[in-house]
Coordinates of all heavy atoms in Angstrom, one line a residue:
V306 N -20.4 -15.3 12.7 CA -20.9 -14.0 13.1 C -22.2 -13.7 12.5 O -22.6 -14.2 11.4 CB -19.9 -12.8 12.8 CG1 -18.6 -13.0 13.6 CG2 -19.6 -12.8 11.3
V307 N -23.0 -12.8 13.1 CA -24.3 -12.3 12.6 C -24.2 -10.8 12.4 O -23.2 -10.2 13.0 CB -25.5 -12.7 13.5 CG1 -25.6 -14.2 13.7 CG2 -25.3 -12.1 14.9
P308 N -25.1 -10.2 11.7 CA -25.0 -8.8 11.4 C -24.9 -8.0 12.8 O -25.7 -8.3 13.7 CB -26.3 -8.5 10.7 CG -26.6 -9.8 9.9 CD -26.2 -10.8 10.9
G309 N -24.0 -7.1 12.9 CA -23.8 -6.3 14.1 C -22.8 -6.8 15.0 O -22.4 -6.0 16.0
D310 N -22.3 -8.0 14.9 CA -21.3 -8.5 15.8 C -20.0 -7.7 15.6 O -19.6 -7.4 14.5 CB -21.0 -10.0 15.5 CG -22.0 -10.9 16.1 OD1 -22.9 -10.5 16.8 OD2 -21.9 -12.1 15.8
A311 N -19.4 -7.3 16.7 CA -18.1 -6.5 16.7 C -17.0 -7.4 16.1 O -16.8 -8.5 16.6 CB -17.8 -6.0 18.0
L312 N -16.2 -6.8 15.2 CA -15.0 -7.5 14.7 C -13.7 -6.9 15.3 O -12.7 -7.6 15.4 CB -15.0 -7.4 13.1 CG -16.2 -7.8 12.4 CD1 -16.0 -7.5 10.9 CD2 -16.5 -9.3 12.6
G313 N -13.8 -5.7 15.6 CA -12.6 -5.0 16.2 C -12.8 -3.5 16.1 O -13.9 -3.0 15.9
R314 N -11.7 -2.8 16.3 CA -11.8 -1.3 16.3 C -11.0 -0.7 15.1 O -10.1 -1.3 14.6 CB -11.1 -0.7 17.5 CG -11.8 -1.2 18.8 CD -11.2 -0.4 20.0 NE -9.8 -0.3 20.0 CZ -8.9 -1.1 20.6 NH1 -9.4 -2.2 21.1 NH2 -7.6 -1.0 20.5
T315 N -11.5 0.4 14.6 CA -10.7 1.1 13.5 C -9.4 1.4 14.1 O -9.2 1.7 15.3 CB -11.5 2.4 13.1 OG1 -11.7 3.2 14.2 CG2 -12.8 2.1 12.5
G316 N -8.4 1.4 13.2 CA -7.0 1.7 13.6 C -6.1 2.0 12.5 O -6.5 2.3 11.4
N317 N -4.8 1.8 12.8 CA -3.7 2.0 11.8 C -2.8 0.8 11.7 O -1.7 0.9 11.3 CB -2.9 3.2 12.3 CG -3.7 4.5 12.2 OD1 -4.0 5.0 11.2 ND2 -4.0 5.1 13.4
A318 N -3.3 -0.4 12.0 CA -2.5 -1.6 12.0 C -2.1 -1.9 10.6 O -2.8 -1.8 9.6 CB -3.3 -2.8 12.6
L319 N -0.9 -2.4 10.4 CA -0.3 -2.7 9.1 C 0.3 -4.1 9.2 O 1.6 -4.3 9.0 CB 0.8 -1.7 8.7 CG 0.3 -0.3 8.7 CD1 1.5 0.7 8.5 CD2 -0.7 -0.1 7.6
P320 N -0.4 -5.2 9.5 CA 0.1 -6.5 9.7 C 0.8 -7.1 8.5 O 1.8 -7.9 8.7 CB -1.1 -7.3 10.1 CG -2.3 -6.6 9.5 CD -1.9 -5.2 9.7
C321 N 0.4 -6.7 7.3 CA 1.0 -7.3 6.1 C 1.7 -6.2 5.2 O 2.0 -6.5 4.1 CB -0.1 -8.0 5.3 SG -1.1 -9.2 6.2
G322 N 1.8 -5.0 5.8 CA 2.4 -3.9 5.0 C 1.4 -2.8 4.7 O 0.2 -2.9 5.1
G323 N 1.9 -1.8 4.1 CA 1.1 -0.7 3.7 C 1.3 0.5 4.5 O 2.3 0.7 5.2
S324 N 0.3 1.5 4.5 CA 0.5 2.7 5.3 C -0.9 3.1 5.8 O -1.9 2.8 5.1 CB 1.1 3.8 4.5 OG 0.3 4.1 3.4
S325 N -1.0 3.9 6.9 CA -2.2 4.5 7.3 C -1.9 5.6 8.2 O -1.0 5.5 9.1 CB -3.0 3.4 8.1 OG -4.2 4.0 8.7
T326 N -2.5 6.8 8.0 CA -2.2 8.0 8.8 C -3.4 8.4 9.6 O -3.4 9.5 10.2 CB -1.7 9.1 7.9 OG1 -2.7 9.3 6.8 CG2 -0.4 8.8 7.2
G327 N -4.5 7.7 9.6 CA -5.6 8.0 10.5 C -6.5 6.7 10.7 O -6.6 5.9 9.7
A328 N -7.0 6.6 11.9 CA -7.7 5.3 12.2 C -8.9 5.2 11.3 O -9.8 6.1 11.2 CB -8.1 5.4 13.7
H329 N -9.0 4.0 10.7 CA -10.2 3.7 9.9 C -10.2 2.2 9.6 O -9.3 1.5 10.1 CB -10.1 4.4 8.5 CG -9.0 4.0 7.6 ND1 -7.7 4.3 7.9 CD2 -9.0 3.3 6.5 CE1 -6.9 3.8 6.9 NE2 -7.7 3.2 6.0
V330 N -11.2 1.7 8.9 CA -11.2 0.3 8.4 C -11.2 0.4 6.9 O -12.0 1.2 6.3 CB -12.4 -0.5 8.9 CG1 -13.7 0.1 8.5 CG2 -12.3 -2.0 8.5
H331 N -10.3 -0.3 6.2 CA -10.3 -0.5 4.8 C -11.2 -1.7 4.5 O -10.9 -2.8 4.7 CB -8.9 -0.7 4.3 CG -8.7 -1.0 2.9 ND1 -8.6 0.1 2.0 CD2 -8.6 -2.1 2.2 CE1 -8.4 -0.4 0.8 NE2 -8.4 -1.7 0.8
F332 N -12.4 -1.4 4.0 CA -13.5 -2.4 3.8 C -13.4 -2.8 2.3 O -13.5 -1.9 1.4 CB -14.8 -1.7 4.1 CG -16.0 -2.6 3.8 CD1 -16.3 -3.7 4.6 CD2 -16.9 -2.3 2.8 CE1 -17.4 -4.5 4.3 CE2 -18.0 -3.1 2.5 CZ -18.2 -4.2 3.3
T333 N -13.3 -4.1 2.0 CA -13.1 -4.6 0.7 C -14.1 -5.7 0.4 O -14.5 -6.4 1.2 CB -11.6 -5.1 0.5 OG1 -10.7 -4.2 1.0 CG2 -11.3 -5.4 -0.9
L334 N -14.4 -5.8 -0.9 CA -15.4 -6.8 -1.4 C -14.7 -7.6 -2.5 O -14.1 -7.2 -3.4 CB -16.6 -6.0 -2.0 CG -17.8 -6.9 -2.5 CD1 -18.4 -7.6 -1.3 CD2 -18.8 -6.0 -3.2
W335 N -14.9 -9.0 -2.3 CA -14.4 -10.0 -3.3 C -15.5 -11.0 -3.5 O -16.4 -11.2 -2.7 CB -13.2 -10.7 -2.8 CG -12.0 -9.9 -2.4 CD1 -11.0 -9.5 -3.3 CD2 -11.5 -9.5 -1.1 NE1 -10.0 -8.8 -2.6 CE2 -10.3 -8.8 -1.2 CE3 -12.1 -9.7 0.2 CZ2 -9.6 -8.3 -0.2 CZ3 -11.4 -9.1 1.3 CH2 -10.2 -8.5 1.1
T336 N -15.3 -11.8 -4.5 CA -16.1 -13.0 -4.7 C -15.1 -14.2 -4.7 O -14.0 -14.1 -5.2 CB -16.8 -13.0 -6.1 OG1 -15.9 -12.8 -7.1 CG2 -17.9 -12.0 -6.1
L337 N -15.6 -15.3 -4.2 CA -14.7 -16.5 -4.1 C -15.5 -17.7 -4.8 O -16.1 -18.5 -4.1 CB -14.4 -16.9 -2.6 CG -13.7 -15.9 -1.8 CD1 -13.5 -16.3 -0.4 CD2 -12.3 -15.6 -2.5
P338 N -15.5 -17.7 -6.1 CA -16.3 -18.6 -6.8 C -15.9 -20.1 -6.6 O -16.8 -21.0 -6.7 CB -16.2 -18.2 -8.3 CG -14.9 -17.4 -8.3 CD -14.8 -16.7 -7.0
T339 N -14.7 -20.3 -6.4 CA -14.3 -21.7 -6.1 C -15.0 -22.3 -4.9 O -15.5 -23.4 -4.9 CB -12.8 -21.8 -6.0 OG1 -12.1 -21.3 -7.1 CG2 -12.3 -23.3 -5.8
A340 N -15.0 -21.5 -3.8 CA -15.6 -21.9 -2.6 C -17.1 -22.0 -2.8 O -17.7 -23.0 -2.3 CB -15.3 -20.9 -1.5
A341 N -17.7 -21.1 -3.6 CA -19.1 -21.2 -3.8 C -19.5 -22.4 -4.6 O -20.5 -23.0 -4.3 CB -19.6 -19.9 -4.6

Side-chain angles (χ1 to χ4, degrees):
V306 291
V307 298
D310 281 354
L312 304 178
R314 302 190 311 272
T315 57
N317 295 289
L319 304 171
C321 309
S324 65
S325 176
T326 55
H329 68 288
V330 61
H331 178 82
F332 176 71
T333 309
L334 184 65
W335 301 277
T336 55
L337 299 178
T339 304

